[in-house]
Amino acid sequence: MYKLAANVVKVILKLMGSKARVYGEENLPKEGGFIIACTHTGYVDILNLGVAMYPREIHFMAKKQLFEMKGLGWLVKHLNAFPVDRDNPGPSVIKIPSQLLKEGKIVGIFPSGTRSAEGTDLKQGAITIAQLAKTQIVPAAYVGARNVGDVMKRGKGYLIYGEPFYVTGKGKEGREQFTQHLEHELVALTEELQKRIPVK
């Protein structure tokens, strides 16, 4: 299902001129599991990230409400997503991604690109998982087409990967330190990407 969806989405984005131009691919680990933490402004960034990293598949962390929607719930489940209750997070928030990483798979987390409370919580979640699983985080930023309307207008997309890092800090202080580091990286990557976008 993932393979079929990735190829269909790739063709559609390419035909519409919205397939992301990608920078920093040399920063992606060649093998083994890792977390990719990408800025999030709409759902086209999710599609472009999935297409850009294919044939490696991403297991996306998604809010549980998506799985409760008829049709969409079935689809996201078959696209390797796993549910998270953001209001009442339980052990599965850590257990599921940690197991996927142990199996050498890629876990995708979309912390907000802003410094909102939810964005900070998700960034800290990514850091906590990386700390406990002793795995790398690859920060990434996306700028461009966000929704169907943008794609129909042939809106461009741009994606950049930053340098991977391990969470070497211990305990709560280490998590707070590296959450700030991740926030800084996402802001810096977004700024770098905006500089690379051709001026019309």
Side-chain angles (χ1 to χ4, degrees):
M1 183 69 180
Y2 192 104
K3 180 179 180 181
L4 173 63
N7 283 312
V8 169
V9 169
K10 181 178 181 179
V11 169
I12 292 172
L13 291 175
K14 197 168 184 179
L15 286 173
M16 298 306 295
S18 296
K19 183 173 175 288
R21 182 166 184 178
V22 183
Y23 302 94
E25 288 180 288
E26 68 279 2
N27 289 322
L28 291 175
K30 298 293 186 289
E31 55 186 27
F34 61 91
I35 295 168
I36 184 148
C38 186
T39 58
H40 185 42
T41 56
Y43 53 83
V44 176
D45 47 24
I46 300 173
L47 300 177
N48 261 315
L49 182 63
V51 166
M53 296 193 66
Y54 189 76
R56 293 204 69 182
E57 299 183 5
I58 305 174
H59 294 256
F60 291 110
M61 180 182 283
K63 58 185 179 182
K64 71 167 190 174
Q65 288 85 345
L66 294 178
F67 292 80
E68 297 166 358
M69 297 171 69
K70 192 173 180 179
L72 182 60
W74 180 88
L75 180 62
V76 294
K77 185 177 179 182
H78 285 79
L79 292 178
N80 295 349
F82 59 94
V84 171
D85 186 343
R86 293 181 183 173
D87 296 322
N88 299 291
S92 62
V93 174
I94 302 297
K95 188 176 179 180
I96 294 173
S98 294
Q99 182 59 39
L100 290 167
L101 292 163
K102 188 184 291 186
E103 294 170 4
K105 294 172 180 172
I106 300 169
V107 171
I109 299 176
F110 285 93
S112 170
T114 66
R115 293 176 184 269
S116 66
E118 182 181 80
T120 299
D121 287 345
L122 287 170
K123 291 185 188 85
Q124 187 151 48
I127 293 297
T128 301
I129 294 165
Q131 185 187 52
L132 295 174
K134 296 181 173 58
T135 193
Q136 298 180 87
I137 290 189
V138 176
Y142 173 87
V143 173
R146 295 181 292 178
N147 51 43
V148 171
D150 292 342
V151 172
M152 295 303 290
K153 294 174 186 175
R154 304 187 71 81
K156 305 293 183 185
Y158 302 87
L159 177 66
I160 187 168
Y161 305 116
E163 293 185 11
F165 63 90
Y166 285 95
V167 178
T168 55
K170 306 294 183 184
K172 183 180 178 182
E173 285 187 7
R175 288 193 293 275
E176 290 176 350
Q177 175 191 347
F178 278 88
T179 297
Q180 291 178 1
H181 176 71
L182 177 57
E183 286 185 343
H184 172 79
E185 287 295 298
L186 294 178
V187 170
L189 285 169
T190 300
E191 291 174 351
E192 172 65 24
L193 196 53
Q194 287 169 336
K195 291 176 186 175
R196 297 191 184 212
I197 296 175
V199 179
K200 294 182 179 179

